[in-house]
Amino acid sequence: QEAIRDAIAKICARLGDDYWLKRDREGGFPEELHQALAGDGWLGIAMPEAYGGSGLGITEAAIMMQAISESGAGFSGASAVHMNIFGLNPVVVFGDDAQKKRMLPPLIAGKERACFAVTEPDTGLNTTRIKTRAELRGDTYFISGQKVWISTAQIAEKILLLARTRPLEQCAKPSQGLSLFYTDLDRAHVDVHEIEKMGRKAVDSNQVFFDAMPVPAADRIGEEGKGFDYILHGMNPERILIAAESVGLGRVAVQRASQYAKERIVFDRPIGQNQAIQHPLAACWMALEAANLMVFKAAWLYDSGKPCGAEANAAKYLAGEASFDACQQAVMTHGGFGYAKEYHVER
């Protein structure tokens, strides 16, 4: 596991602060990181060996994603990669052998990139009420509707898409009648509109509109109507990975702040000698380390085949809070220079 961390750190070291500052200013997918990780086989870290992956666990994937974030790439780097790690878990678990052979190797090799489309404007987290419809005619589904906050849809070749195949009123439970597809993002039938947002400009967020997009029935994952159950198999790994990335981001923020506090001289001594600087950073460090224990407890439970829902959610919450506080304290430690892009804590 330490070797994984070291190997990822070496890859990330090729892309320094200036690279990520440029991505943050100008946008543009961090192709260099994505391809470097693909070239060394890291995109398939948690995928089965039979399809070109490494066959390791979410624990090892969390170590990898944390190292990317902690390198200074933050979520601009991590968000460009983690869909590959958790997103196709429903294909791994519920896809047939032909689908796995067709769908997994190009993603692992970095030849295809995927986006994940569940959220809709009117439903938010109430996934059972999504309105995007998939109508089967012969051996082809035609999908119409819209999704929102879809990351990387500007550049993705593939899409993992949840749509309703049976009207809600015909279902015994709201979670029924939803089906999952992994298919080509056919831009002849799709409009993608980027959402201008604060931060993480390197990874686009989008509204996506589908107008009778044709999808072969062979691209449906598992049984029709059971898609909601299938996507849950990707949710807990996603929470664990985002929590690991958050801890990494908080750690690099504390590192930058601590280094600045040692070098910044005011009243003839480093500001880091003052407890008003030391104690908030120490509190951030403690919170991050505690959150990290929950991250890897959740990862261990998942990899051991044990229930991990509460721990995965707790890890995401604790890490998110600790990361936010650390980033804010890093800006505060820098004073006015915390706003200056050259110090790399504002982003």
Side-chain angles (χ1 to χ4, degrees):
Q1 290 174 347
E2 291 296 338
I4 291 171
R5 185 182 297 278
D6 291 344
I8 298 300
K10 287 178 182 176
I11 291 174
C12 292
R14 303 176 204 165
L15 305 171
D17 285 336
D18 290 341
Y19 174 85
W20 292 111
L21 180 56
K22 185 177 181 181
R23 292 275 74 78
D24 198 54
R25 281 175 170 157
E26 301 174 6
F29 186 77
E31 192 74 42
E32 294 84 355
L33 175 66
H34 183 265
Q35 288 302 304
L37 293 168
D40 288 352
W42 292 109
L43 296 185
I45 188 169
M47 297 285 190
E49 291 183 82
Y51 306 103
S54 300
L56 299 175
I58 290 298
T59 299
E60 288 75 23
I63 290 168
M64 168 183 157
M65 299 309 299
Q66 190 172 82
I68 292 172
S69 185
E70 193 172 340
S71 75
F75 273 83
S76 293
S79 298
V81 178
H82 73 199
M83 171 61 188
N84 293 270
I85 309 302
F86 78 90
L88 287 201
N89 204 45
V91 176
V92 173
V93 178
F94 298 105
D96 60 36
D97 191 53
Q99 287 176 325
K100 293 176 188 177
K101 287 179 180 176
R102 176 163 58 91
M103 296 171 177
L104 298 180
L107 194 76
I108 293 168
K111 295 176 181 176
E112 293 177 350
R113 294 161 297 190
C115 59
F116 185 45
V118 173
T119 307
E120 295 184 5
D122 298 329
T123 57
L125 292 173
N126 193 0
T127 304
T128 60
R129 294 299 195 273
I130 65 171
K131 297 175 182 175
T132 298
R133 289 293 312 275
E135 182 183 343
L136 182 62
R137 300 178 213 153
D139 60 356
T140 303
Y141 289 90
F142 291 87
I143 296 180
S144 297
Q146 59 178 312
K147 301 288 183 179
V148 72
W149 293 114
I150 310 307
S151 296
T152 71
Q154 292 286 334
I155 52 90
E157 293 86 11
K158 294 284 187 175
I159 186 167
L160 186 68
L161 173 67
L162 188 69
R164 184 159 284 286
T165 45
R166 184 189 300 173
L168 181 62
E169 57 272 14
Q170 296 179 16
C171 299
K173 295 191 297 183
S175 61
Q176 296 175 348
L178 296 166
S179 298
L180 189 64
F181 304 89
Y182 184 68
T183 192
D184 292 330
L185 186 56
D186 185 350
R187 294 179 189 271
H189 297 269
V190 175
D191 283 327
V192 179
H193 299 286
E194 186 167 0
I195 299 169
E196 291 290 330
K197 61 185 188 300
M198 182 180 72
R200 207 192 66 162
K201 193 171 182 181
V203 180
D204 52 270
S205 299
N206 304 275
Q207 282 190 291
V208 183
F209 300 88
F210 303 91
D211 182 13
M213 185 180 82
V215 175
D219 287 352
R220 189 192 70 230
I221 307 303
E223 294 181 44
E224 186 176 275
K226 293 191 175 181
F228 183 79
D229 295 335
Y230 298 159
I231 64 164
L232 295 180
H233 281 262
M235 293 299 183
N236 285 329
E238 179 190 19
R239 290 170 180 137
I240 293 166
L241 294 180
I242 288 178
E245 294 158 21
S246 297
V247 171
L249 185 66
R251 281 177 170 172
V252 72
V254 170
Q255 290 164 12
R256 299 288 169 91
S258 299
Q259 189 61 40
Y260 182 82
K262 293 173 185 176
E263 297 170 354
R264 173 67 166 159
I265 307 297
V266 179
F267 296 114
D268 302 321
R269 66 185 207 158
I271 63 171
Q273 290 185 10
N274 300 316
Q275 288 183 335
I277 299 294
Q278 295 173 357
H279 288 181
L281 290 175
C284 289
W285 179 86
M286 287 186 279
L288 288 164
E289 291 303 304
N292 199 49
L293 291 174
M294 183 59 83
V295 171
F296 284 99
K297 178 179 181 180
W300 177 83
L301 287 169
Y302 181 87
D303 288 338
S304 301
K306 301 176 185 292
C308 68
E311 290 81 3
N313 279 280
K316 186 179 176 185
Y317 175 85
L318 293 169
E321 292 286 306
S323 176
F324 181 89
D325 291 344
C327 292
Q328 178 166 273
Q329 196 58 45
V331 171
M332 297 293 285
T333 302
H334 282 74
F337 287 113
Y339 271 162
K341 287 185 178 291
E342 66 178 295
Y343 284 86
H344 301 285
V345 289
E346 56 77 32
R347 64 180 168 84

